[in-house]
Amino acid sequence: MSELNVAQHASYFNLHAEGCGYLNRVRTVKPEKGPPYLACTIAAKHGDATSPTTTKFDCRISGTRAQVIVQQLEAAVKAEQRVFIGFRIGDFVPELFVYQNGKRKGETGVVNKGRLLQVTFAKIDGQTVELPAEEGVAAEATAA
């Protein structure tokens, strides 16, 4: 008798958040174990447009196209320009931390950790930025 090898597909429940907010703290994280990765913070806006509320997301940038776009926007962020993006974040969970300096030093804060999957639009100081096409990013990835 022969056994049939049946590939089992993993099943997942996805949790995504879509919105817009300000891109901050673009950086390369170099962990002790594992390869370095690109990360950023997004100050997401929600609520009444005249006085919106901000929710922070600290993201590992997972999407290939998102990595290319964030690297394109990194210089503007470091120059302290206002970089406003549309985003999709997945697998986010809240994490508590204690402020280490500033007027809130010693207070507990919360940040949502997640994976930046997609950047849908970008503006630098109110000016729309041309983003690379998905096909172009895929071609660059296969050529590398």
Side-chain angles (χ1 to χ4, degrees):
M1 286 193 340
S2 64
E3 277 186 40
L4 292 176
N5 290 332
V6 178
Q8 292 186 5
H9 296 348
S11 296
Y12 298 97
F13 293 105
N14 292 320
L15 177 61
H16 292 161
E18 291 184 4
C20 53
Y22 290 98
L23 181 65
N24 297 297
R25 292 186 63 226
V26 176
R27 62 209 181 273
T28 300
V29 176
K30 298 175 182 171
E32 289 182 26
K33 295 180 180 179
Y37 60 89
L38 193 59
C40 68
T41 301
I42 297 173
K45 299 295 182 184
H46 56 94
D48 184 9
T50 58
S51 74
T53 303
T54 301
T55 298
K56 287 186 179 180
F57 288 92
D58 194 25
C59 301
R60 179 182 189 137
I61 304 170
S62 296
T64 304
R65 181 169 179 257
Q67 289 176 1
V68 170
I69 292 169
V70 170
Q71 287 172 334
Q72 176 183 335
L73 299 170
E74 184 174 10
V77 172
K78 289 188 177 179
E80 297 184 7
Q81 293 178 289
R82 294 177 59 85
V83 180
F84 194 70
I85 64 169
F87 62 82
R88 176 180 281 169
I89 295 173
D91 304 328
F92 56 93
V93 293
E95 186 173 285
L96 297 176
F97 67 95
V98 176
Y99 286 96
Q100 298 299 314
N101 48 36
K103 64 182 179 182
R104 296 185 67 185
K105 183 176 183 176
E107 291 182 29
T108 300
V110 66
V111 65
N112 292 296
K113 298 281 188 170
R115 296 183 310 117
L116 180 62
L117 304 172
Q118 201 173 45
V119 175
T120 57
F121 72 85
K123 293 183 177 188
I124 298 175
D125 290 336
Q127 300 296 313
T128 301
V129 175
E130 185 76 26
L131 300 180
E134 288 186 46
E135 301 81 33
V137 171
E140 285 179 26
T142 56

